[in-house]
Amino acid sequence: MRLTFPIASLLLMSACSSGVETRISSSGIANPAAASFMISTVAGTSEDLRAAYALVAKNMVGRGFTMAKEAPLHLEITLDARGADLALATATGPMSSPKKRKPLQSCGDREYRFSVTLTRVADGLEIYKGRAAEYHCKMPVKEALPILVNAALADLGQPRGSYVVKRQARD
């Protein structure tokens, strides 16, 4: 009986302070030559997507690439935020299963998914594709975005396939 309160306290704290898993997948060619790239943005792009484009461009420039209005490489990004209790599927099968709420969790999770694809304009060859996804209960997408961008681009030049990175977070 004396352990009831400490155990209940630990359960409450673990529901709020558990680690965050970043699910990452990457594919493409090894060691592509740094070159100039272009980004095609769409009018009416959301504030979060504009922020993502800026973060990606900064990351790419930091890796020796240069951004230009017309270039041999085209960079495309996608950003999605959805209720984590929804499943995603394609005609070929499931993409993402619904996430169940943790015991004593006070809010519903959202899944943030970010992807970047770098293709060669001349022939459509996919130079690199990186995806990163996380579940968050309280963290807004704007705060998660730098982590997702860095994770999605982490394997540029050395794609590693699918893996998970865990970290502690306030969410």
Side-chain angles (χ1 to χ4, degrees):
M1 208 46 149
R2 294 170 61 192
L3 293 177
T4 305
F5 181 73
I7 290 173
S9 297
L10 286 173
L11 283 172
L12 281 171
M13 288 189 308
S14 70
C16 298
S17 64
S18 63
V20 174
E21 292 184 347
T22 306
R23 300 173 315 282
I24 302 165
S25 67
S26 60
S27 61
I29 63 173
N31 303 314
S36 59
F37 67 95
M38 61 182 163
I39 299 175
S40 301
T41 57
V42 178
T45 301
S46 73
E47 182 181 330
D48 290 334
L49 201 52
R50 283 194 306 272
Y53 275 116
L55 289 168
V56 169
K58 183 178 178 182
N59 191 305
M60 295 288 290
V61 168
R63 294 170 180 272
F65 289 82
T66 55
M67 194 161 91
K69 189 170 185 165
E70 292 186 26
L73 301 177
H74 180 261
L75 191 120
E76 180 180 6
I77 67 170
T78 62
L79 176 63
D80 179 49
R82 67 171 179 85
D85 57 340
L86 301 172
L88 294 178
T90 65
T92 58
M95 251 175 78
S96 180
S97 299
K99 181 181 181 288
K100 295 188 191 293
R101 195 178 260 201
K102 294 176 188 172
L104 306 174
Q105 187 173 339
S106 63
C107 59
D109 280 314
R110 296 195 47 78
E111 182 180 33
Y112 302 145
R113 299 170 65 89
F114 176 79
S115 71
V116 58
T117 306
L118 186 64
T119 56
R120 191 165 53 204
V121 174
D123 59 5
L125 176 69
E126 191 172 276
I127 303 297
Y128 180 73
K129 179 175 227 162
R131 289 179 284 218
E134 293 183 345
Y135 295 114
H136 289 283
C137 179
K138 295 178 184 165
M139 182 183 284
V141 69
K142 190 175 219 157
E143 286 181 35
L145 196 52
I147 296 162
L148 294 171
V149 168
N150 288 336
L153 287 169
D155 300 340
L156 180 60
Q158 294 297 322
R160 297 182 359 191
S162 296
Y163 59 99
V164 175
V165 174
K166 296 180 182 183
R167 71 176 195 289
Q168 287 298 317
R170 67 172 178 77
D171 185 77

